[in-house]
Structures are given as C-alpha cells and as structure tokens.
Amino acid sequence: YWVRRQVIERSPDWQLRLDLGAQPRLPKFLSVDEMGGMIREARDKQLEFPVNGARRVTGGFLALRNQAMIELMFATGIRVGEASSLTVSDISEEAGRLRILGKGNRERLAFVTDEHCRRALVKYIEKRRQIGTGHESLFINVFGRPITTQGVACVVNHVKGRFLQDKLRGAE
C-alpha cells in the first residue's frame, strides 16, 4: 500500500518468506479408464486366488465373490472397511439397497443402480447362502470366515495388478 502511494521506496516485507506448511496431498485414485478396465477384468476373467493347502471354498465361488466385491465397491463408492463389514441382512432382496455402517458407526444407505453389479451381487448372494458358515458376513475368505479389511484390499490389489499387467502387455 505504502509503496503504491510512493510514501516508501521498497516494502520491508519483500524478503519475508512465508511458509504455509506442507501442501496437502490429494488421495490416490483411479482414472475412469482404469476403473472400467478393472471392472472388465473382474467380470470377464472370473479371477481366482491360488489357495495353498486346504481349500474349503471353491475357486468358482471366490471368482464370484471377487467380481461382486469389485463391482459393488465401484458402483456404490463404499470403502474397503465398509465392504468387509457388510452382512447378508444389510442387502435388500433385489440387491438394490445396502445398509452401510460407516466411520464412527454412522449408518447410511447406498443404492446399486448398475445392472451388472446387481446381477453379480444376486448371483453371489445365492451361492453365499448355500455355504453354511454360522455367521452373516457377506464376503467370506477361503476358510469360510468373514473377510478382513486386508482381505478386501488384497482382492482389489490383485484385480488391479492383473489389469495393469494386461494393459502393459497391450502396449508392447
């Protein structure tokens, strides 16, 4: 102000350095193409995990689980922890509405509007009900126990890794 009014020649603040702290980093996210590719990967290839030793849940069931899980997470935007805590009773009969227990035990509804996702979820739930586990968890691991947050993250990373490998092979 005083420099513009020519009261003083130079501002005493011209050498002042302002440190506003570290800039907040944006969260990592997938592009639309990567997301679409991962959904196609889960849908088309019916991915399975290699199971070491005892196989209590068949590979075909795991492929259905992986597809339903990936499709559901992308279609509704639910978090990994929310996906791992879903129960069969949290989902409406037509697989169109989910009751989600989110951060801070806040309950909310999510709607499945994607028809591919809905079909994958209904198909998975039909098979899931045939497995007697003694608990209500929607997604289960290879031993028939509730899947953990790390288990869901592992499925997502596995699908992402397979998609990116195929993408890189296509670029060669």
Side-chain angles (χ1 to χ4, degrees):
Y1 172 79
W2 292 111
V3 173
R4 278 182 295 177
R5 289 198 164 250
Q6 298 179 347
V7 174
I8 59 174
E9 190 174 312
R10 187 185 299 191
S11 170
D13 295 335
W14 75 275
Q15 288 182 325
L16 186 64
R17 233 173 175 218
L18 208 63
D19 184 14
L20 300 175
Q23 294 294 324
R25 291 185 178 201
L26 292 175
K28 292 181 182 179
F29 60 92
L30 298 173
S31 69
V32 173
D33 291 338
E34 288 174 328
M35 200 177 320
M38 282 182 65
I39 289 173
R40 280 190 301 279
E41 183 77 23
R43 202 180 281 158
D44 298 342
K45 296 203 176 167
Q46 289 290 298
L47 297 172
E48 295 183 24
F49 281 107
V51 180
N52 300 331
R55 183 185 280 233
R56 292 181 109 191
V57 177
T58 64
F61 177 79
L62 293 178
L64 281 175
R65 178 203 67 187
N66 295 348
Q67 179 184 357
M69 188 184 303
I70 294 292
E71 295 243 9
L72 182 66
M73 290 178 69
F74 284 143
T76 61
I78 62 173
R79 297 175 179 92
V80 170
E82 294 167 345
S84 68
S85 66
L86 282 174
T87 63
V88 176
S89 59
D90 288 337
I91 299 175
S92 69
E93 279 302 312
E94 303 81 34
R97 187 183 67 213
L98 304 169
R99 187 177 57 86
I100 298 168
L101 192 62
K103 286 184 174 181
N105 286 333
R106 290 191 189 120
E107 196 174 292
R108 71 177 196 276
L109 291 177
F111 296 93
V112 180
T113 57
D114 182 67
E115 195 55 40
H116 290 291
C117 177
R118 186 176 290 171
R119 280 194 301 256
L121 201 53
V122 167
K123 192 174 178 180
Y124 170 75
I125 290 171
E126 287 172 4
K127 294 286 186 186
R128 167 67 183 87
R129 286 190 171 133
Q130 295 172 3
I131 298 174
T133 60
H135 58 79
E136 277 282 301
S137 292
L138 177 62
F139 296 116
I140 59 175
N141 65 17
V142 294
F143 301 108
R145 292 188 213 113
I147 196 165
T148 62
T149 303
Q150 291 84 4
V152 175
C154 187
V155 169
V156 171
N157 288 330
H158 183 73
V159 172
K160 184 179 176 186
R162 293 278 301 257
F163 164 69
L164 291 177
Q165 284 175 356
D166 288 350
K167 188 175 175 182
L168 291 174
R169 273 192 218 117
E172 292 174 352

